[in-house]
Amino acid sequence: MAPGAPAEITRLLKAWGRGDAAAMDQLAPLVYGELHHIAHGRMRKESPGHSLQTTALVNEAYLRLVNANEVDWQDRAHFFAVSAQMMRRILVDSARARDSEKRGGGVARISLDESIDGIEECFGEVLALDDALHALAKMDPRKATVVELRFFGGLSVAETAAVLRVSEQTVLRDWKLARAWLMREMSN
């Protein structure tokens, strides 16, 4: 992304939030490519016949974002944080649909690594992770948000710190503790 693009994205998001439809037209090409890049990274290791493809994930997330009313966009980081939430919801919905088709089958284990890249037909585990994240969010919302941004949104430590307005060390600490808690929770 060009050096001036984050400031331009923030300017356009604020204008769009104030009702400027032309700002949305200018914003679309700037964010769509980055959304596609994030989604591609999340989807590239999915099995070839997977029903949800990268472009479909981006399009669905983009449509939900465009239709999101009453969002007071703070900046580019806020936009991509909300995008990460949308992608999580879409992936969880897809997993629920696939899981309902495969009831009774064996469920593969999912590893909480740096991102969702390693998921291959682990729909039951995506659902278990979603349930565990809801439980974590009730206890510690920031840790749950760190997992959501890093795992589902593919944000780096620095990007996550910028979104949450905390230090990178805080993100690393939250990430480590949240992963340990989630792994324990999901193993029960």
Side-chain angles (χ1 to χ4, degrees), residues 11-25 66 68-73:
R11 184 187 70 73
L12 290 170
L13 282 167
K14 289 182 180 274
W16 175 38
R18 291 188 304 267
D20 183 352
M24 183 59 206
D25 294 338
V66 168
N69 294 326
E70 301 175 18
V71 177
D72 182 20
W73 299 111

Short mmCIF file of all heavy atoms in Angstrom, two decimals, residues 11-25 66 68-73:
data_model
loop_
_atom_site.label_atom_id
_atom_site.label_comp_id
_atom_site.label_asym_id
_atom_site.label_seq_id
_atom_site.Cartn_x
_atom_site.Cartn_y
_atom_site.Cartn_z
N ARG A 11 -9.43 9.41 5.91
CA ARG A 11 -10.20 10.58 5.46
C ARG A 11 -11.49 10.14 4.77
O ARG A 11 -12.57 10.66 5.05
CB ARG A 11 -9.36 11.43 4.53
CG ARG A 11 -10.06 12.73 4.08
CD ARG A 11 -9.27 13.46 3.01
NE ARG A 11 -9.25 12.80 1.73
CZ ARG A 11 -10.29 12.73 0.88
NH1 ARG A 11 -11.44 13.27 1.20
NH2 ARG A 11 -10.17 12.12 -0.28
N LEU A 12 -11.37 9.15 3.88
CA LEU A 12 -12.54 8.68 3.13
C LEU A 12 -13.54 7.97 4.05
O LEU A 12 -14.76 8.11 3.87
CB LEU A 12 -12.10 7.76 1.99
CG LEU A 12 -11.36 8.46 0.85
CD1 LEU A 12 -10.74 7.45 -0.11
CD2 LEU A 12 -12.28 9.43 0.11
N LEU A 13 -13.05 7.20 5.02
CA LEU A 13 -13.95 6.53 5.96
C LEU A 13 -14.77 7.54 6.75
O LEU A 13 -15.98 7.37 6.93
CB LEU A 13 -13.15 5.63 6.92
CG LEU A 13 -12.68 4.31 6.37
CD1 LEU A 13 -11.64 3.68 7.29
CD2 LEU A 13 -13.85 3.37 6.14
N LYS A 14 -14.11 8.59 7.21
CA LYS A 14 -14.82 9.62 7.97
C LYS A 14 -15.85 10.33 7.09
O LYS A 14 -16.96 10.60 7.54
CB LYS A 14 -13.83 10.59 8.60
CG LYS A 14 -13.04 9.95 9.74
CD LYS A 14 -12.11 10.94 10.39
CE LYS A 14 -11.35 10.29 11.51
NZ LYS A 14 -12.01 10.29 12.77
N ALA A 15 -15.47 10.61 5.85
CA ALA A 15 -16.42 11.26 4.93
C ALA A 15 -17.59 10.34 4.64
O ALA A 15 -18.75 10.78 4.62
CB ALA A 15 -15.70 11.64 3.63
N TRP A 16 -17.31 9.07 4.44
CA TRP A 16 -18.38 8.09 4.19
C TRP A 16 -19.30 8.01 5.41
O TRP A 16 -20.52 7.97 5.27
CB TRP A 16 -17.75 6.74 3.87
CG TRP A 16 -18.72 5.61 3.71
CD1 TRP A 16 -19.95 5.64 3.13
CD2 TRP A 16 -18.53 4.26 4.13
NE1 TRP A 16 -20.53 4.39 3.16
CE2 TRP A 16 -19.66 3.53 3.77
CE3 TRP A 16 -17.48 3.59 4.78
CZ2 TRP A 16 -19.81 2.17 4.04
CZ3 TRP A 16 -17.61 2.25 5.04
CH2 TRP A 16 -18.77 1.55 4.67
N GLY A 17 -18.71 8.01 6.59
CA GLY A 17 -19.50 7.97 7.83
C GLY A 17 -20.42 9.17 7.97
O GLY A 17 -21.46 9.08 8.61
N ARG A 18 -20.04 10.29 7.35
CA ARG A 18 -20.88 11.49 7.38
C ARG A 18 -21.91 11.48 6.25
O ARG A 18 -22.64 12.45 6.08
CB ARG A 18 -20.01 12.74 7.29
CG ARG A 18 -19.16 13.00 8.52
CD ARG A 18 -18.46 14.36 8.47
NE ARG A 18 -17.65 14.53 7.27
CZ ARG A 18 -16.35 14.25 7.18
NH1 ARG A 18 -15.71 13.78 8.24
NH2 ARG A 18 -15.68 14.44 6.06
N GLY A 19 -21.94 10.40 5.47
CA GLY A 19 -22.95 10.29 4.42
C GLY A 19 -22.49 10.64 3.03
O GLY A 19 -23.32 10.72 2.11
N ASP A 20 -21.21 10.84 2.80
CA ASP A 20 -20.68 11.19 1.49
C ASP A 20 -20.56 9.92 0.63
O ASP A 20 -19.61 9.14 0.78
CB ASP A 20 -19.32 11.86 1.65
CG ASP A 20 -18.71 12.32 0.33
OD1 ASP A 20 -19.25 11.99 -0.74
OD2 ASP A 20 -17.67 13.00 0.40
N ALA A 21 -21.51 9.72 -0.26
CA ALA A 21 -21.52 8.51 -1.11
C ALA A 21 -20.32 8.48 -2.06
O ALA A 21 -19.81 7.40 -2.38
CB ALA A 21 -22.82 8.44 -1.91
N ALA A 22 -19.86 9.63 -2.49
CA ALA A 22 -18.71 9.68 -3.39
C ALA A 22 -17.45 9.17 -2.68
O ALA A 22 -16.59 8.55 -3.31
CB ALA A 22 -18.48 11.11 -3.89
N ALA A 23 -17.37 9.38 -1.38
CA ALA A 23 -16.22 8.87 -0.62
C ALA A 23 -16.19 7.35 -0.65
O ALA A 23 -15.12 6.75 -0.75
CB ALA A 23 -16.28 9.37 0.83
N MET A 24 -17.36 6.74 -0.60
CA MET A 24 -17.42 5.27 -0.67
C MET A 24 -16.90 4.78 -2.01
O MET A 24 -16.18 3.78 -2.07
CB MET A 24 -18.85 4.79 -0.43
CG MET A 24 -19.00 3.29 -0.40
SD MET A 24 -17.95 2.59 0.89
CE MET A 24 -17.70 0.98 0.24
N ASP A 25 -17.25 5.48 -3.07
CA ASP A 25 -16.76 5.10 -4.40
C ASP A 25 -15.24 5.19 -4.49
O ASP A 25 -14.61 4.36 -5.15
CB ASP A 25 -17.40 5.99 -5.48
CG ASP A 25 -18.90 5.77 -5.60
OD1 ASP A 25 -19.38 4.69 -5.18
OD2 ASP A 25 -19.59 6.67 -6.10
N VAL A 66 -20.25 -2.46 3.76
CA VAL A 66 -20.92 -1.37 3.05
C VAL A 66 -22.31 -1.13 3.63
O VAL A 66 -22.76 0.01 3.73
CB VAL A 66 -21.00 -1.67 1.53
CG1 VAL A 66 -21.94 -0.72 0.83
CG2 VAL A 66 -19.62 -1.59 0.92
N ALA A 68 -23.20 -1.72 6.69
CA ALA A 68 -23.14 -1.45 8.12
C ALA A 68 -23.53 0.01 8.36
O ALA A 68 -22.87 0.92 7.89
CB ALA A 68 -21.75 -1.72 8.67
N ASN A 69 -24.61 0.18 9.07
CA ASN A 69 -25.09 1.53 9.37
C ASN A 69 -24.61 1.94 10.75
O ASN A 69 -24.30 1.10 11.60
CB ASN A 69 -26.62 1.58 9.32
CG ASN A 69 -27.14 1.33 7.92
OD1 ASN A 69 -26.50 1.71 6.94
ND2 ASN A 69 -28.28 0.68 7.81
N GLU A 70 -24.56 3.21 10.97
CA GLU A 70 -24.25 3.77 12.27
C GLU A 70 -22.87 3.37 12.78
O GLU A 70 -22.69 3.18 13.97
CB GLU A 70 -25.34 3.39 13.28
CG GLU A 70 -26.72 3.87 12.87
CD GLU A 70 -27.80 3.36 13.81
OE1 GLU A 70 -27.48 2.95 14.94
OE2 GLU A 70 -28.96 3.38 13.41
N VAL A 71 -21.91 3.21 11.88
CA VAL A 71 -20.54 2.96 12.31
C VAL A 71 -19.79 4.27 12.23
O VAL A 71 -19.76 4.92 11.19
CB VAL A 71 -19.85 1.88 11.43
CG1 VAL A 71 -18.41 1.70 11.87
CG2 VAL A 71 -20.61 0.57 11.50
N ASP A 72 -19.22 4.68 13.34
CA ASP A 72 -18.42 5.89 13.38
C ASP A 72 -16.97 5.48 13.15
O ASP A 72 -16.24 5.19 14.09
CB ASP A 72 -18.58 6.58 14.73
CG ASP A 72 -17.80 7.88 14.82
OD1 ASP A 72 -17.46 8.45 13.76
OD2 ASP A 72 -17.53 8.33 15.95
N TRP A 73 -16.57 5.40 11.87
CA TRP A 73 -15.24 4.93 11.53
C TRP A 73 -14.20 5.86 12.11
O TRP A 73 -14.18 7.05 11.82
CB TRP A 73 -15.07 4.83 10.01
CG TRP A 73 -16.02 3.88 9.36
CD1 TRP A 73 -17.06 4.19 8.54
CD2 TRP A 73 -16.03 2.45 9.48
NE1 TRP A 73 -17.71 3.04 8.15
CE2 TRP A 73 -17.10 1.96 8.71
CE3 TRP A 73 -15.23 1.53 10.17
CZ2 TRP A 73 -17.39 0.60 8.60
CZ3 TRP A 73 -15.53 0.18 10.06
CH2 TRP A 73 -16.59 -0.27 9.29
#
